[in-house]
Amino acid sequence: TTIGYGDVFPRNQWVRLVCVFYVPFCVIALTMVMSAFSNVYMSRKTDETEQRFLQRKLRQKDLIAMDIDMNDTVTRAEFFGFMFVMMGKCEPEFIEKLRKVFNGLDKDNNGTLTMKDLLRNLDHPDIEDDDDDNFTPINPNPNYDDDQTSNGESTIYV
């Protein structure tokens, strides 16, 4: 095998053996260096594009596109979902899957997840649907200090 135009080539058997490993190693090393430079360039371009996108003014059509439930109000979740999709952080199908998971967990359909919702999803024996007034959430970690709402339920806001 030759390197270059063929005017310089290994003549010794040992040098040829070394070239068998050295040439592929050099090709791989150069590829990795070029890849690293490419990644730095693309990362900077992505950051610049994100900054331009975040600094632009929202238009009415953006707000209409964000309002998934069409109630003339954009929630935090709708805003985040729209921004993640528009910035290419995830696909719209992924956001829809997350909405379905959340809706499946939100047993009382109030837009928040409470410990009661989560325990109902586990078919917890201490939870009965008609026993809402006497509900006391079970905290698996007694050292965890969480915020309590006025009715004693721990609420997870999404």
Side-chain angles (χ1 to χ4, degrees):
T1 176
T2 62
I3 300 173
Y5 293 111
D7 53 343
V8 178
F9 58 92
R11 290 189 169 90
N12 185 329
Q13 287 289 31
W14 287 106
V15 175
R16 287 182 184 177
L17 181 63
V18 169
C19 285
V20 166
F21 296 103
Y22 180 73
V23 171
F25 171 78
C26 288
V27 169
I28 291 170
L30 182 61
T31 302
M32 291 173 66
V33 168
M34 296 299 290
S35 175
F37 281 124
S38 172
N39 286 338
V40 168
Y41 174 78
M42 292 304 295
S43 177
R44 286 185 181 167
K45 281 301 205 185
T46 300
D47 291 345
E48 289 172 11
T49 303
E50 285 178 6
Q51 287 304 315
R52 277 197 310 266
F53 182 78
L54 292 172
Q55 291 172 357
R56 75 178 180 85
K57 293 183 180 190
L58 289 176
R59 300 171 300 214
Q60 183 177 5
K61 69 179 188 176
D62 294 331
L63 294 174
I64 291 170
M66 285 182 206
D67 189 14
I68 301 297
D69 54 7
M70 295 185 225
N71 64 354
D72 294 329
T73 303
V74 175
T75 64
R76 180 180 292 139
E78 289 172 330
F79 178 81
F80 284 170
F82 176 82
M83 296 301 275
F84 285 150
V85 169
M86 292 306 295
M87 293 173 67
K89 300 294 184 184
C90 64
E91 298 296 321
E93 296 80 15
F94 181 72
I95 297 292
E96 188 56 35
K97 286 179 185 177
L98 289 176
R99 276 195 191 96
K100 287 179 181 178
V101 168
F102 183 88
N103 290 340
L105 293 171
D106 184 18
K107 293 298 186 184
D108 55 6
N109 294 320
N110 67 353
T112 62
L113 293 180
T114 62
M115 191 61 77
K116 184 189 291 185
D117 289 327
L118 298 176
L119 292 174
R120 280 186 179 141
N121 282 298
L122 296 173
D123 292 328
H124 200 280
D126 294 343
I127 303 299
E128 296 178 17
D129 286 333
D130 58 349
D131 191 23
D132 289 343
D133 296 333
N134 298 324
F135 174 73
T136 303
I138 299 170
N139 190 347
N141 183 354
N143 297 324
Y144 179 71
D145 184 27
D146 61 349
D147 294 331
Q148 297 288 318
T149 59
S150 61
N151 63 359
E153 294 179 8
S154 299
T155 305
I156 301 168
Y157 293 96
V158 176

